[in-house]
Amino acid sequence: MRIRLKRMFRRFRLLDMEAEVLLPGHGEKIEMNSLAGSHTSQAVKGGLGIATAAIFLAGEMAGSGVLALPYALLGTGWTGLFLIAMFTVNSLFSGTRLGLCWVMLEERYEEFRGHVRDPYPCIGEKAVGRWGRIVSLVAICITLYGGGCVFIVLIAQLLGSLVGSAGFHLTLCTWMVIVAVCLIPLTWAGTPKDFWPIAVGALLTTVTACIIIIIKVVIDGNELEQKVYPPPTFQGFLKAFGSIMFAFAGASTFPTIQADMKNRSQFNYAAVIAILILFLIYFPMAAGGYFALGELVQDNIVLSMSDGWERVVVEIMLLLHLVSAFPIITNPPAQIFEEILSIPSDFNWKRCVFRSISVLILLFVAESVPSFGAILNLVGASTVTLLTFVFPPFFYMKIADATIGVKGVPERRIPVWERVYCWGLIVIGILGGACATYNAMSDIVATSLSVPCYLMSADANITISSSH
């Protein structure tokens, strides 16, 4: 009995030491019961609550994608609104399945009850093996770093338009360099819990900007003598698929934010709140912009607004949002690579150098394809579809099935209807994503904007107009 007590004491000592190493500054692990009461879940003192996590998710997702939704409806007509509703429901389902995947990993594997820097690849590895980790890692990096490229282009567009209205003009390619240099220091923060006020600011600025955009666009639309709505086309649906999917590109960050929660088993509540917030933003924005302007709407709805104080305020709000959200979306892949490169998790010069180089690489990609819509559609159609529609239900079924018959682990038996729904999402994701990716690649090759900034002549460089 005395030997057993000594072993138990030693084990608790090791757990305390591990917590201090993994979470400097927040180094205390707490055991708490899950919602279902079937297992104990590790939580970090000082972690995110349900409301804060929901704000993080909504603030990270409701960004550049929402500005392309009205333009996406040009190729689908009013039926595109059903696509938005369908993708909302499917994203909600996929997000909650990812949350359950992590809960099941905590139930079965003790090493996942502490702080984990690469949760999505871990889910993939435990679900299907090593290839699941590698494919997830590649998809996450392309998605979030691709989103970072979109942010750099969009911030440059907005900043150029805003400053251009004051009479100072620079090319888009020049503005992107300025923007990237200014964004670098913001990426040096550690994990999401280290910069939660940024998420609050990102969501508030987006909501404010969207409300102003909807009101202004509707007013501008009422002044038009005639509105033309192009007929829906198959190619238009493929473009809309990519654009709308990009608007729900936050699935890859779900496990990272869940890993920073006080009680990870409550993540599904945060996911439901976040997705509902997104729908309340996306649906009126898409409908208002499309029906008010018709074929006059541009791929960035802000550029469709007439001049005035409303447009200036919107550009300022969106700039604040994009600048705030940029470190959030680039944080998960940065943590993954830092884990691979053995860069310490505390603040250090290696982290600063690595993340600075990462932003410069994103700048190079943005300068190579300086088109907001082209990058958005490609990323949305390819890797976002995998991370949102294909991987979550597939990994969920694999991990849940693996719990059956295992001693000491709660069994997770998936109902028939849920399994059918999962396979339906996988099939839609693969077929729709493949077609939309091909279409996006064709657009990039065919458009003149595929000419990189550094290969353009001075007089052919892209400029930004501040006029309607």
Side-chain angles (χ1 to χ4, degrees):
M1 178 65 70
R2 185 176 301 173
I3 295 175
R4 185 177 300 174
L5 289 174
K6 286 183 178 179
R7 287 177 179 173
M8 290 178 61
F9 177 75
R10 245 187 235 124
R11 181 179 299 175
F12 284 121
R13 289 282 297 170
L14 287 173
L15 285 174
D16 288 339
M17 291 172 64
E18 180 187 7
E20 291 173 3
V21 172
L22 290 173
L23 295 167
H26 300 275
E28 183 178 349
K29 282 186 175 180
I30 307 170
E31 287 196 359
M32 54 177 61
N33 293 328
S34 69
L35 293 177
S38 60
H39 73 288
T40 57
S41 172
Q42 296 287 351
V44 180
K45 192 173 184 178
L48 303 175
I50 295 176
T52 312
I55 291 174
F56 254 108
L57 295 172
E60 181 269 333
M61 295 173 71
S64 55
V66 68
L67 303 179
L69 292 180
Y71 184 78
L73 266 60
L74 283 183
T76 65
W78 60 269
T79 55
L81 296 175
F82 288 101
L83 281 179
I84 295 176
M86 182 185 73
F87 283 18
T88 300
V89 174
N90 292 339
S91 297
L92 175 59
F93 178 82
S94 297
T96 54
R97 296 316 96 177
L98 273 178
L100 289 175
C101 283
W102 192 253
V103 170
M104 286 187 284
L105 291 189
E106 283 192 337
E107 291 174 346
R108 188 169 182 179
Y109 305 102
E110 185 176 349
E111 63 266 27
F112 294 123
R113 297 170 190 169
H115 179 66
V116 179
R117 300 169 82 178
D118 54 348
Y120 205 124
C122 288
I123 292 174
E125 184 174 17
K126 292 301 182 182
V128 296
R130 185 68 178 175
W131 73 266
R133 163 179 283 275
I134 295 174
V135 174
S136 298
L137 177 62
V138 172
I140 288 172
C141 293
I142 294 176
T143 296
L144 298 182
Y145 280 147
C149 293
V150 172
F151 275 34
I152 290 175
V153 176
L154 188 53
I155 292 173
Q157 282 185 349
L158 294 173
L159 190 59
S161 176
L162 188 63
V163 177
S165 61
F168 183 76
H169 299 280
L170 290 174
T171 63
L172 175 62
C173 299
T174 303
W175 275 118
M176 285 194 289
V177 175
I178 298 173
V179 167
V181 172
C182 294
L183 289 174
I184 285 177
L186 300 179
T187 64
W188 293 344
T191 65
K193 68 177 182 296
D194 296 326
F195 45 87
W196 66 265
I198 294 180
V200 178
L203 182 59
L204 292 179
T205 52
T206 301
V207 172
T208 303
C210 289
I211 292 174
I212 297 175
I213 290 174
I214 294 171
I215 296 174
K216 179 62 175 175
V217 165
V218 171
I219 294 175
D220 290 344
N222 289 334
E223 297 177 356
L224 297 176
E225 296 181 359
Q226 185 179 6
K227 302 173 186 177
V228 179
Y229 302 99
T233 62
F234 178 71
Q235 188 177 20
F237 271 95
L238 294 182
K239 287 184 178 180
F241 186 97
S243 298
I244 297 173
M245 276 306 307
F246 188 88
F248 292 96
S252 53
T253 65
F254 277 23
T256 302
I257 294 175
Q258 182 181 15
D260 270 350
M261 290 187 66
K262 293 179 181 178
N263 186 352
R264 297 168 182 171
S265 64
Q266 296 180 338
F267 173 77
N268 283 354
Y269 294 143
V272 171
I273 295 172
I275 296 297
L276 290 179
I277 292 174
L278 291 181
F279 181 76
L280 295 177
I281 296 174
Y282 289 174
F283 197 86
M285 172 68 88
Y290 171 73
F291 288 112
L293 299 179
E295 66 175 2
L296 296 179
V297 69
Q298 299 186 42
D299 61 352
N300 179 356
I301 185 64
V302 177
L303 302 180
S304 302
M305 298 174 64
S306 59
D307 290 335
W309 66 267
E310 298 94 342
R311 177 166 172 171
V312 173
V313 172
V314 165
E315 289 174 340
I316 294 174
M317 290 291 102
L318 290 175
L319 277 173
L320 292 175
H321 164 81
L322 294 170
V323 171
S324 301
F326 185 83
I328 298 178
I329 69 166
T330 57
N331 186 270
Q335 290 195 64
I336 292 173
F337 279 115
E338 287 164 6
E339 181 73 19
I340 295 174
L341 298 174
S342 300
I343 296 177
S345 59
D346 58 336
F347 187 82
N348 59 86
W349 68 270
K350 291 182 180 179
R351 175 203 287 176
C352 297
V353 171
F354 171 76
R355 298 191 182 186
S356 299
I357 294 174
S358 299
V359 175
L360 294 179
I361 294 175
L362 298 186
L363 172 63
F364 175 78
V365 175
E367 296 276 356
S368 300
V369 189
S371 171
F372 165 69
I375 303 176
L376 184 146
N377 288 337
L378 177 60
V379 175
S382 56
T383 54
V384 172
T385 303
L386 288 176
L387 293 170
T388 305
F389 272 9
V390 180
F391 290 165
F394 185 65
F395 291 167
Y396 168 68
M397 289 188 292
K398 286 290 186 178
I399 294 176
D401 292 343
T403 64
I404 298 176
V406 178
K407 293 183 179 180
V409 177
E411 289 189 352
R412 302 275 184 171
R413 297 187 179 274
I414 301 177
V416 176
W417 70 266
E418 189 176 4
R419 194 176 293 273
V420 172
Y421 191 7
C422 287
W423 281 113
L425 286 182
I426 293 171
V427 172
I428 292 174
I430 292 176
L431 296 180
C435 294
T437 300
Y438 174 79
N439 187 72
M441 290 291 293
S442 300
D443 284 348
I444 290 178
V445 173
T447 180
S448 61
L449 290 181
S450 62
V451 179
C453 286
Y454 41 80
L455 295 181
M456 290 181 181
S457 59
D459 56 347
N461 213 334
I462 304 172
T463 57
I464 305 172
S465 173
S466 61
S467 62
H468 175 56

